[in-house]
Every structure is written in C-alpha cells, then in structure tokens.
Amino acid sequence: MKKSCFLALLLFLFGLKASAQTSSAVIEKKIEVLLKKMTLKEKIGQMNQLSADDMETNFKVIQQGMAGSVLSITNPEIANKAQRLAVEQTRLGIPLIFGRDVIHGFKTIFPIPLGQAASFNPGLVEKAARVAAVEASETGIRWTFAPMIDIARDPRWGRIAESCGEDPYLTSIMGIAMVNGFQGKNLSDPSSIAGCAKHFAGYGAAEGGRDYNTTAITERQFRNVYLVPFEQVVKKANLATIMTAFNANDGIPSSGNEFLLKEVLRKEWNFRGFVVSDWASINEMVDHGFSSDNKEAAEKAINAGVDMEMVSGTYVEYAESLWKEKKIAIETINDAVRNILRIKYSLGLFENPYVKGNTKEVFYKEEHLKIAEKLAEESIVLLKNEGQILPLQKPKTIAVFGPLANAPHDQMGTWVFDGDKDHTVTPLFALKEKYGENITIIYEPILKYSRDQDSTGFDKARKIAKEADVVLLFLGEESILSGEAHSLSDLNFQGLQSKLLETLQKTKTPLVTIIMAGRPLTIEKEVTQSNAVLYAWHPGTMGGPAIINLLFGIVNPSGKLPITFPKNVGQIPMYYGHLKTGRPANGSELNLNNIPIEASQTSLGNKSYYLDSGNEPLFPFGFGLSYTNFEYREIALSKTILKKDDILEITLSLKNTGNYQGTEIVQLYARDLAASVALPIRELKAFQRIDLKAGEEKRVMFKLPISDLAFYGMDMKKKVEAGKFDLWIGSNSISGEKVSFEVK
Ligand code: GLC
C-alpha cells in the first residue's frame, strides 16, 4: 500500500476512534449538564417504566415527568403523543424510551431463538435481528427485551424456546449476533433498537424446570457457564441494557443481588448501559420473602443496582422517602439516571424523539420474508432419514396429516405479540402452491390441535394413507404450551398425536414426521416408527416454504441441535458438557433387559447410569443429518506442546462423499483432562459452516487461542492451567477424531 494511502487510512481510523470517543465524551458532558438541572422527583421519574395498559393514566404520569419509559406501545401515533407530552410539556423535555418484546421478529416472525441457534449461522441470525429492528423501530420502539441468553438445559422449562440452548459458547455467539443485529452499526440510527440481554442471571437453571423456581448455582458455575454469554455480549457487542431475572439464586432474588449487579456487572465487566428489572420482579421480592414490603423491596433493588423499574411502581412511591431516611444515597440515584440517559443520548432520542410510522413500506417486505425462509431452512434439523426416503422423489400422491400442517398461529411459536398469523405460510399452503399442479395432495388434520383427544378421524387417515405414496405427518406443540410460565412435567406428544403416528405407521406407507415444537420432546418411540424425522422447532412466518424446500431437496438440511434430546424426562438434566464423575459409565453396562435374575449386589459395576435408560441421550448436542455425507480426514495440530499465550492451529480435510451439495457445521470441542477443579468432558470452542458440492473436498483450519481454555478454578481466578488436553473435531458432541496436546 502506498505511503499516502496508508497515512490516509490511519487518519481515517483515528478519526473514527476519535469521533467515537468524542461522541461518548460529548454524551457524558450532556448527561452531567442535564443531571445538575434535575430535581430528585425528575430523577426518580426516569427510573420508572410504565406498561401500556392504561394510556390515559400514563399520559398524566408522563406529563408530570414521572416516567422514563413505556413498554408495549406499538401504535406510532400513540407513541408520538406520549413522546410529545414528555418532550414538549415537561420541564426538562427528556424523551421517553419505548420498549417491547421483539424476541424473534416483530411482524416478520423468524424461527424461535432455539431454532435460530440450530442454524449455527450467526451472520444470518444477525440479519434477522436487523430486520426485526427495522420493522419494530418504524412504530417508535427503540428498545427490545432481547436477546434472551439464559443457558437452558431443562426442556421442561417452557422458556427454553427463547434460549439459544445449553452451550455457553454457542449462546455467546448467537447473543452477540442478535445484539449487533438489533443495535446496528450505530445506536443513534433511527432503525436501531437497544438490546437487552436477559435474564440476569441463571434463570434457566430453575429447579425441576419449573418456571420462576429457585436456582442453586455456585459462583464457579455462574462464572464458567451461566454468566459467560452475558460477559461476551457486554464486552463484544456493546450491549445497551440488561434485565434482571425472576429467580432467587441461593435465596437472593436477582433484582436484589448486589454481587451480580455491582461486583460482576459494573466492577468486573465495566458495563455502561442500564439495568431494568423484569416485570414486577422488584415487588415480587416480597413474595420471595426477601423483603418485608414494597418499600424495602425498592430500597434493596435501588441499592443493588437496578436502574429502572418495570411497571411495579415502587420507585416512584418510595424512593424519595428512602432518600430522606438515608436508606439510599443520592449518588446511587444519580448513577442510575446517568446510565439511563447514556442510552437515551446514544439512541439519539433527544435529537430525534418522534417516529414517522411508514409501517406499510416496512412490514413483511419481500427481502424480510426471504431471510425468514432461509433462517427457517437452516434451523431445521434432520434427525432420521431411513433408506434416504428424503428428499422426496416425485411422489404422485402425498397424504398430509396432523395438527401442525396448517396452523398459522402455532407455527410462529411463543413470544409473538405483533406477528399476524394471516401472513404465515404453512407447509400445506406451500406444498399446494409449489407442487399442487403435478402431485395429488390429500389433506386431513385428523387432530385439530396438539392436545386433541378425538380419534374419530383415524379410520379415514388409515384409508387415505394406504392410497398415498408418502405420508407427511405434522405434529408438535401448540405455541401456548411453550414459553413463559408454560412448564411441562411430561414431554411426550400431547393428545392422541402419538397414537395417530402409530396408526399411520401400521399402514406401511412411508412416513415422514415433521415436528414443530418449542422444546425437545421425548420422541424415541415416534422416531423409531417414522421413516424420516425433521425437527422444525416453531419455524415462524416462512416455516412452510422452508419445510417444503427441505422435503423436496431444493435445500439440503444443515441444522444441528443446540440442545440435547433426552430419551425421557427421568434423564433430565442431561447435557453434553457434563462432568465425568468418578464412576463414568461406558454404555456397555447391564440394563433392565439383561440383568440376570438374582444378580449379586455389585455385579452391575456401580457406574453412573440409569438401569432403564442408560446415560446416553436420544440425540446429542450438535447432532443433525444431511442428505449427503461428510468425511473428516487428516486432522493435524500445528504443535502438541504449547504455551499459555500460543495459538493452536488445527487443520483437516473435509470431503462431501455423497450426491448432494451440503453444508457441514464442523465443531471443535476441547477437554482439560485434569485441573484444580473437575471440568466438562467436552466444551464447544469453535465451529465453522463449510459448504461443499458433491464430491468436493476442502482444507479447513481452526485457530484456537490457548487462552480460550481458561476457566475459573479452585482460586476462583480465570486462567489456563498447564496440563494435558484432548480435542475433537467432528459433526456433533459425541463424535469426531480425538487428538491431544499439552500446555506447559
Ligand atoms: C416478562 C418476561 C420478560 C419480558 C418482560 C416484559 O415477564 O420475563 O422476558 O421481557 O416480562 O414483557
């Protein structure tokens, strides 16, 4: 590069950095100037978020300067009316920030986040979040309560649907992508919306998978597992806000947890955004038995570091008296208001408080729907394909059954407040539209919804199936059975779905089962009885075309499970990154089917496994089939003895040995064999999406910084410990060739 160009580039980069600094220096200055003008009441007002239930009352509160935010206004006119009251009729004219749960799309609905994680495609996930921001911001929303990056390892928990699954690394990568998509390149762009990582922290570890239940996470587990994604989005995605969780960990509700909110979030991570409570999670500290009344709850939350209170109103009611009684310091209030104003300035709300509301041009744009279709295609996981029945080979007659074949509402999944079901393209609709002219399609739901107990249509189903070349059976969960507060103690198919599948299987017509659900279901029997199984999660607005494209081979499935599928509920919790224990089973142990009569007490070997279901899942994390096959060859390490600041290069050759173009998600796992504390038997450290034509071979390289092997050990300090390591490169969390190296 010529010297002049190089200098120009340097000046440009310095200019960028300088402008970023000046803009943050400018913002800090503006904050201090404004803060000095604010009365205590006005400061407390900024810390108060209203819900949009009663706007007439809200308008009065806003006009009194006692609200900093409103959640769930989605009508641009109402948003502008509320904003005009704040900006033009209060003493200081501080704009409101409007928030909303835009979890997996606003109008164009994408697969549920658990499905998005199955794509292992952060670039596409970021595009989807960007679309969500573009659509939502058009109504005045500039803040979403997403991404939800709780590590979830219990499918009984309905909110696993909103999560990115069980793995801290994959959740971190997906969380960063979502925040970058929401926040865009510049938070002050009117199409950018502030991200809100939630729920801080450990909410997904609810005992028994029962929502809102107690968690008992040790500090080490917090630091090595549950906090990892939050730290990553704070440090790598410039996260704007964080939401506290409902759960009490070790008896301390998150909204009153100073260790999390001050020690970790502020001191260790230097988080500069603001913290919002979850819905009424502050006054719920009275229910927890952590506060005697709402006033004490307000005191504990303010002192713990919750900057803004979502809807429970204890701050506006008690903060002034708490200050007078010296139970909270004015500096605490000032810091909370600084954090809130910092995000409002960063969003450009002072310069640009109103919204144009050109919703018609923005909602459901063709390019938005294309991204939704592609993400749905890449999120769907092929779990079984016996005899390569898929992709379908020009069947003449297709029988379509099941409650999810044409379910526009349920197909969108949980946490959909603004998506319109009349925009959903169902599999039945897509099949007819694309193939209806040259294939005979016979459709009968047989079961009207997932819990349906009415078997009167079964005879009809039997007759139709016998006449068809293939049966497509769409089963799963209604969306109401998934999501917040919707915990299940039994993960078998609801209603008579399983019976319907068995009935169809007995007709011997090839049976393809497509499952739409918000969680792993216990489907061992149904998988056995099906010739092929696709797991589509709740695939969103364009789930129909996506499924049809996969069934007919227009697209080759590439999705991989972001969550372990247990054989039954009794195996839960079951996740790949578990500790080995002192008595690991190896899968060859005796079980209920072959234990001898009067076997002696210790004859089974005393290993860690279930006599009735072993200790292997139905499907492991990272699992997913393709219509083609991939061969891993020549895995080599750049070194086998490394220093702690080295970068280990791992190379391999990957060949598509089948007849279809395909994408393989190559996964790299590592294990520290012996350390100051016991560590997981495997941990995902990297992955790559590799596209290969039929017969094509590529060299693949991973660069693994040894620093990525750091963890919090016995001394609770994060570091790499010297010793021996194993490393696997493969297509899921239980396969792959093992290689070893040592860190000195
Ligand atoms: C809910 C959820 C939280 C959501 C908030 C606002 O109860 O826990 O995830 O963002 O309230 O709707």
Side-chain angles (χ1 to χ4, degrees), residues 49 71-72 100-103 144-146 148 150 159 162 196 198-199 203 211-212 243-246 276-280 284 310-311 415 417 484:
Q49 180 182 57
L71 87 151
S72 294
R100 177 70 163 172
D101 292 286
V102 184
I103 308 295
T144 177
F145 305 124
M148 189 273 218
D150 298 306
R159 299 198 78 162
E162 283 175 80
C196 181
K198 69 185 187 182
H199 305 78
Y203 181 30
D211 204 356
Y212 315 120
M243 181 186 292
T244 57
F246 285 124
V276 64
S277 70
D278 198 342
W279 187 285
E284 286 177 6
M310 183 182 283
V311 310
W415 280 109
F417 292 136
E484 181 171 353

Side-chain angles (χ1 to χ4, degrees), residues 252-536:
I252 305 167
S254 304
S255 300
N257 192 323
E258 280 201 42
F259 167 71
L260 288 178
L261 298 175
K262 283 192 171 161
E263 175 53 41
V264 174
L265 188 60
R266 299 291 180 188
K267 282 197 201 124
E268 291 182 24
W269 300 351
N270 189 29
F271 177 58
R272 304 275 292 148
F274 73 81
V275 174
V276 64
S277 70
D278 198 342
W279 187 285
S281 62
I282 289 174
N283 65 344
E284 286 177 6
M285 294 201 286
V286 177
D287 290 324
H288 276 290
F290 185 71
S291 304
S292 52
D293 55 28
N294 284 349
K295 184 172 183 179
E296 187 185 15
E299 175 190 351
K300 287 192 169 184
I302 292 170
N303 285 329
V306 181
D307 302 316
M308 185 182 281
E309 176 178 23
M310 183 182 283
V311 310
S312 40
T314 67
Y315 284 12
V316 285
E317 189 165 357
Y318 298 110
E320 189 165 359
S321 53
L322 287 166
W323 170 71
K324 284 179 182 151
E325 295 157 19
K326 300 193 185 327
K327 290 184 176 162
I328 59 173
I330 190 60
E331 259 320 290
T332 306
I333 296 281
N334 288 342
D335 283 345
V337 175
R338 284 189 179 99
N339 295 331
I340 293 165
L341 293 178
R342 188 170 297 118
I343 299 305
K344 289 188 173 183
Y345 276 116
S346 303
L347 283 165
L349 290 174
F350 285 83
E351 296 77 19
N352 192 12
Y354 303 114
V355 66
K356 296 188 190 66
N358 306 329
T359 54
K360 294 222 175 354
E361 288 91 81
V362 165
F363 292 170
Y364 298 111
K365 278 172 80 170
E366 193 48 37
E367 65 194 83
H368 295 177
L369 296 173
K370 279 276 161 260
I371 292 169
E373 184 173 333
K374 185 163 172 49
L375 186 48
E377 285 165 353
E378 296 193 8
S379 68
I380 295 167
V381 183
L382 179 62
L383 295 178
K384 180 180 181 183
N385 190 17
E386 194 175 61
Q388 292 292 318
I389 179 180
L390 294 178
L392 297 174
Q393 304 296 333
K394 298 192 179 22
K396 291 191 176 53
T397 306
I398 296 179
V400 179
F401 301 118
L404 275 298
N406 195 34
H409 168 78
D410 290 318
Q411 181 173 314
M412 291 194 286
T414 188
W415 280 109
V416 173
F417 292 136
D418 304 292
D420 305 316
K421 71 174 189 175
D422 50 9
H423 281 267
T424 303
V425 185
T426 65
L428 178 70
F429 183 90
L431 179 65
K432 286 182 174 175
E433 187 181 51
K434 202 153 189 173
Y435 297 99
E437 283 186 4
N438 39 39
I439 295 178
T440 304
I441 298 163
I442 309 167
Y443 165 63
E444 289 293 343
I446 308 298
L447 297 170
K448 294 180 185 58
Y449 57 101
S450 67
R451 289 165 291 148
D452 197 345
Q453 302 277 0
D454 179 0
S455 62
T456 46
F458 278 34
D459 283 344
K460 181 193 256 185
R462 212 177 277 114
K463 288 195 187 78
I464 294 169
K466 283 186 177 141
E467 303 306 311
D469 298 313
V470 65
V471 169
L472 302 182
L473 177 60
F474 292 84
L475 304 177
E477 286 188 304
E478 294 151 82
S479 59
I480 190 62
L481 304 181
S482 168
E484 181 171 353
H486 304 156
S487 313
L488 285 169
S489 65
D490 179 335
L491 298 179
N492 292 325
F493 280 113
Q494 299 290 334
L496 292 179
Q497 297 185 90
S498 192
K499 278 268 173 281
L500 173 58
L501 189 148
E502 195 168 35
T503 302
L504 294 168
Q505 185 260 339
K506 285 179 179 152
T507 67
K508 301 290 178 230
T509 301
L511 172 59
V512 179
T513 302
I514 302 97
I515 298 167
M516 292 190 194
R519 55 169 41 99
L521 297 174
T522 44
I523 55 176
E524 185 169 24
K525 179 162 67 81
E526 293 79 8
V527 169
T528 307
Q529 292 171 335
S530 304
N531 298 89
V533 179
L534 280 173
Y535 218 83

